């Protein structure tokens, strides 16, 4: 379970780096005032700034359930092939979700991948509980 967690952390770092780059570029180009970032409030901002910010924030929502489940697998000494498969599936789906969100951002594609990842983490939790019974 450690390696899927490391992969999720790397995804978060990559999305975070992209977000920072977009923010600096938006200020440098004059599209956004640096003051906007003080409270994240103000005039209209470029779509890419909103997309990257929201995508980065998404890395701290449902993935939290993933990190807790993986930590419990490790701390309880549960070795489950099904758990490992769904952990990796979750990471893969979150990578796809971030890609869709940061590129063409088609809502149906993004929502579909989101729900598949959500179901993966639910199964990860159900498997965790089943292995404790």
């Amino acid at each position: 379970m450690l390696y899927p967690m490391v992969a999720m952390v790397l995804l978060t770092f990559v999305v975070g780096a992209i977000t920072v780059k977009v923010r600096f570029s938006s200020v440098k180009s004059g599209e956004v005032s640096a003051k906007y970032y003080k409270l994240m409030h103000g005039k209209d901002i470029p779509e890419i700034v909103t997309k990257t910010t929201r995508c980065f924030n998404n890395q701290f929502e449902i993935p939290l359930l993933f990190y807790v489940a993986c930590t419990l697998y490790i701390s309880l000494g549960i070795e489950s092939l099904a758990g490992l498969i769904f952990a990796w599936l979750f990471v893969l789906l979150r990578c796809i979700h971030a890609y869709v969100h940061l590129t063409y951002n088609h809502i149906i594609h993004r929502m579909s991948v989101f729900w598949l990842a959500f179901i993966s983490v639910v199964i990860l939790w159900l498997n965790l509980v089943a292995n404790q019974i």
Side-chain angles (χ1 to χ4, degrees):
M1 289 298 171
L2 180 63
Y3 295 118
M5 286 179 21
V6 169
M8 267 309 297
V9 169
L10 289 174
L11 173 63
T12 302
F13 288 161
V14 168
V15 172
I18 291 168
T19 302
V20 169
K21 180 183 180 299
V22 165
R23 288 180 180 186
F24 276 110
S25 295
S26 70
V27 171
K28 187 177 179 179
S29 71
E31 292 179 282
V32 178
S33 166
K35 289 183 180 182
Y36 169 81
Y37 293 108
K38 185 174 182 179
L39 296 174
M40 302 297 276
H41 183 71
K43 297 181 179 182
D44 289 336
I45 58 168
E47 182 179 305
I48 188 69
V49 172
T50 302
K51 270 196 319 190
T52 57
T53 299
R54 288 185 180 161
C55 188
F56 183 65
N57 291 343
N58 287 168
Q59 303 312 313
F60 299 97
E61 294 170 355
I62 297 297
L64 177 64
L65 298 173
F66 166 79
Y67 290 124
V68 172
C70 288
T71 300
L72 286 170
Y73 274 90
I74 293 168
S75 65
L76 296 171
I78 297 171
E79 293 185 21
S80 165
L81 179 60
L84 190 59
I85 289 169
F86 281 100
W88 277 115
L89 180 60
F90 178 80
V91 172
L92 174 66
L93 291 166
R94 291 302 300 188
C95 288
I96 294 168
H97 181 268
Y99 174 79
V100 170
H101 201 169
L102 294 174
T103 57
Y104 66 100
N105 202 21
H106 189 281
I107 190 68
I108 299 299
H109 295 165
R110 200 174 92 213
M111 185 175 48
S112 299
V113 175
F114 170 85
W115 282 110
L116 289 171
F118 183 82
I119 291 166
S120 295
V121 84
V122 167
I123 293 171
L124 189 64
W125 272 94
L126 292 173
N127 185 65
L128 173 69
V129 171
N131 275 279
Q132 279 302 112
I133 296 177

